[in-house]
Amino acid sequence: QSVLTQPPSASGTPGQRVTMSCSGSNSNIGGNSGYWYQQFPGTAPKLLIYRTNQRPSGVPDRFSGSKSGTSASLAISGLRSEDEADYYCAAWDDSLSAVVFGGGTKLTVL
Amino acid sequence: QITLKESGPTLVKPTQTLTLTCTFSGFSLSTGVGVAWVRQPPGKALEFLALIYWDDTERYNPSLESRLTITKDTSKNQVVLIMTNMDPVDTSTYYCAHDSVGDRGFDYWGQGTLVTVSS
């Protein structure tokens, strides 16, 4: 059971805006930066968002991150078929002194 | 160009000790840099294992800490993860990743190595 809670699945149609949530606590999301990773089957995760809402170089601005209280969110606008992947949230947890991950959300583009 | 690559056995027996090596290039374990290990059982979520920083600070997943040791060899550009008392539930793809101080996340990852625990 993961420390951060993500819905197991999400879906949308091409062009649509999709959001996915990541619920934590004051010791992780509430007090620290949130991160998002994208993973395609059989490949390593890729950093999508850091410091809650920053995009690494090369990540399209269709991807955006935000936080409210102890929850973080990832939004994807202008959904494309190539966005179909697993998305994981992560954060540092002050109580555990460790990085914690969510259980992942599988995004399906219908 | 930053690259990382994991190496080690693909098959270990239950109760054995696993030793994995992360060999990296394009950066040195100097000020502000760390290397982490993350694993992923087949079809399951990512799980943080351990992290070591340039200043020898170590961080471990509390649920696995008693079984884990992370070390670094700066001269060889390598980070080693040791996990004792392996069990079939430890069957996973093990990744190493680059981390830098400043909340930049795990911004570069190795390709991962699948370790199967079976007798």
Side-chain angles (χ1 to χ4, degrees):
Chain A
Q1 194 166 350
S2 304
V3 174
L4 304 180
T5 302
Q6 298 181 250
S9 63
S11 63
T13 56
Q16 199 173 19
R17 184 175 187 270
V18 171
T19 61
M20 53 190 79
S21 63
C22 172
S23 178
S25 65
N26 288 325
S27 65
N28 43 66
I29 297 284
N32 297 300
S33 296
Y35 304 87
W36 290 90
Y37 297 90
Q38 178 190 55
Q39 186 181 35
F40 297 106
T43 69
K46 170 190 171 184
L47 180 66
L48 209 57
I49 298 287
Y50 67 98
R51 284 190 210 148
T52 301
N53 56 16
Q54 301 298 302
R55 282 176 285 105
S57 174
V59 173
D61 59 6
R62 301 187 296 107
F63 295 90
S64 62
S66 63
K67 182 174 83 169
S68 178
T70 58
S71 290
S73 294
L74 174 70
I76 309 174
S77 60
L79 196 63
R80 298 181 179 184
S81 58
E82 56 260 39
D83 297 331
E84 189 163 286
D86 294 324
Y87 293 84
Y88 293 92
C89 62
W92 178 260
D93 191 294
D94 292 328
S95 298
L96 299 174
S97 292
V99 174
V100 290
F101 284 95
T105 295
K106 183 177 183 60
L107 175 65
T108 301
V109 180
L110 302 169
Chain B
Q1 179 191 2
I2 290 177
T3 64
L4 304 98
K5 187 171 184 179
E6 307 84 355
S7 60
T10 58
L11 179 66
V12 298
K13 290 179 167 45
T15 76
Q16 285 188 335
T17 293
L18 172 68
T19 299
L20 292 174
T21 301
C22 177
T23 303
F24 54 84
S25 63
F27 69 95
S28 63
L29 263 172
S30 58
T31 303
V33 176
V35 172
W37 285 94
V38 175
R39 73 177 179 179
Q40 184 173 37
K44 295 189 178 181
L46 300 171
E47 180 180 33
F48 169 77
L49 296 177
L51 172 59
I52 189 165
Y53 285 111
W54 82 100
D55 62 355
D56 292 324
T57 299
E58 300 167 18
R59 294 287 181 257
Y60 294 98
N61 182 325
S63 66
L64 295 166
E65 185 167 5
S66 63
R67 300 173 52 206
L68 295 173
T69 303
I70 190 170
T71 63
K72 63 180 178 61
D73 187 330
T74 304
S75 65
K76 291 183 178 179
N77 280 354
Q78 291 181 334
V79 170
V80 173
L81 181 75
I82 298 171
M83 179 179 285
T84 61
N85 194 24
M86 294 293 284
D87 183 272
V89 300
D90 296 314
T91 294
S92 294
T93 296
Y94 288 77
Y95 297 98
C96 61
H98 171 274
D99 185 32
S100 53
V101 172
D103 290 347
R104 298 192 69 84
F106 298 153
D107 48 2
Y108 296 91
W109 294 66
Q111 64 189 25
T113 184
L114 176 62
V115 178
T116 301
V117 184
S118 175
S119 55

